[in-house]
Amino acid sequence: MNRIHVLRGLFYPDLYTYKLRDSEYVPGVWKNTTMLVLLSGLIFGISAYFGIGSEYLSKNLTAVSRENYELQKLLFMIGQLIWGLFYGVAVIFIPALFFWTFSDIELKKFVTVQLYVMPVLLLEKVINIPLATGIGLIKTSSPFSLGVIAQYITNNDFIIYFLAAITLFKIWAIFIEYKYIKMLTGKRPGIVLLLVIGINLIFWLFSALFSFIQFEKIL
């Protein structure tokens, strides 16, 4: 088994599914996991530096002292950085453990699959930064998500947040997971699709829930 090449595995799943399935040893898993988790924390921290998601702080700008505002902003950035680290760990390990429970395949191979998925989700986060800072698009108004459509059909905030969590990047991630999990487990396509959509549905529900309760205010 060649060492993990995250980007090649991402763009050439047809080739790397066979390599991953037939390999007895997968080197570099934990090194790449650590790097991607740290990168996730960094990207979330950069996003917070530009004030994305901190609109509630700006509203209080005139109500608190400058020192107090800067302290709250710093705490928000630290909270987002920690949240980014947690997000990276969750995206890599929760689906891997979920898929692992339905097979007798080594856990490290499912972790490897998630290493191919993680860059897609981080790319989405990076693209959202200029969209938010340049033209003021918030997450629910992203042109890559169903959030825009949701705002036309309902006033229910939870439903809007839920549909906004379904983006083109998430569909891309599902495609990658499906290709690898199908080849690794050998299960029927319908079963694999059900497992992949099921775990992503849980993530979308939690994403909507955290947005609905404005979890960033707690951090």
Side-chain angles (χ1 to χ4, degrees):
M1 173 65 184
N2 295 326
R3 295 188 67 82
I4 295 175
H5 299 284
V6 173
L7 294 182
R8 291 181 186 176
L10 169 61
F11 289 108
Y12 302 102
D14 288 336
L15 172 63
Y16 276 81
T17 47
Y18 290 102
K19 285 190 174 184
L20 186 60
R21 184 194 63 181
D22 297 336
S23 65
E24 295 183 355
Y25 175 62
V26 186
V29 173
W30 306 127
K31 177 183 175 182
N32 282 279
T33 298
T34 302
M35 290 177 61
L36 284 173
V37 168
L38 292 176
L39 181 61
S40 176
L42 177 64
I43 291 173
F44 273 70
I46 292 173
S47 176
Y49 173 80
F50 286 107
I52 300 172
S54 66
E55 291 78 11
Y56 71 98
L57 285 178
S58 302
K59 293 178 181 176
N60 295 329
L61 180 60
T62 58
V64 298
S65 65
R66 185 69 186 178
E67 292 76 12
N68 194 355
Y69 173 77
E70 292 297 334
L71 176 61
Q72 290 186 35
K73 186 177 177 180
L74 176 62
L75 290 175
F76 173 76
M77 289 177 57
I78 294 173
Q80 284 294 298
L81 191 150
I82 295 172
W83 179 246
L85 296 175
F86 173 79
Y87 176 81
V89 171
V91 166
I92 291 173
F93 285 100
I94 291 178
L97 287 168
F98 178 76
F99 298 133
W100 177 65
T101 58
F102 291 96
S103 75
D104 55 358
I105 308 296
E106 185 183 3
L107 176 62
K108 286 176 69 175
K109 292 191 177 183
F110 292 114
V111 172
T112 303
V113 173
Q114 293 308 118
L115 296 183
Y116 300 143
V117 169
M118 191 69 195
V120 176
L121 303 181
L122 293 181
L123 175 63
E124 178 181 28
K125 184 73 176 177
V126 169
I127 289 177
N128 282 335
I129 293 176
L131 288 178
T133 57
I135 53 180
L137 280 182
I138 59 176
K139 185 166 60 175
T140 53
S141 298
S142 169
F144 304 110
S145 78
L146 297 179
V148 177
I149 297 175
Q151 293 177 62
Y152 281 104
I153 62 178
T154 181
N155 292 320
N156 186 299
D157 287 341
F158 184 82
I159 295 176
I160 292 174
Y161 287 129
F162 174 75
L163 292 178
I166 304 174
T167 67
L168 291 178
F169 295 92
K170 302 297 194 320
I171 302 301
W172 185 5
I174 284 177
F175 172 76
I176 294 168
E177 285 178 334
Y178 174 80
K179 296 281 286 187
Y180 278 98
I181 301 304
K182 180 174 176 293
M183 182 57 68
L184 280 177
T185 64
K187 294 183 181 296
R188 288 184 297 171
I191 298 296
V192 175
L193 191 60
L194 185 64
L195 292 174
V196 171
I197 291 180
I199 188 64
N200 280 278
L201 183 63
I202 293 173
F203 269 94
W204 296 338
L205 287 171
F206 271 99
S207 174
L209 179 63
F210 287 151
S211 298
F212 184 73
I213 64 176
Q214 297 180 317
F215 196 67
E216 67 274 9
K217 292 183 180 179
I218 301 175
L219 299 176

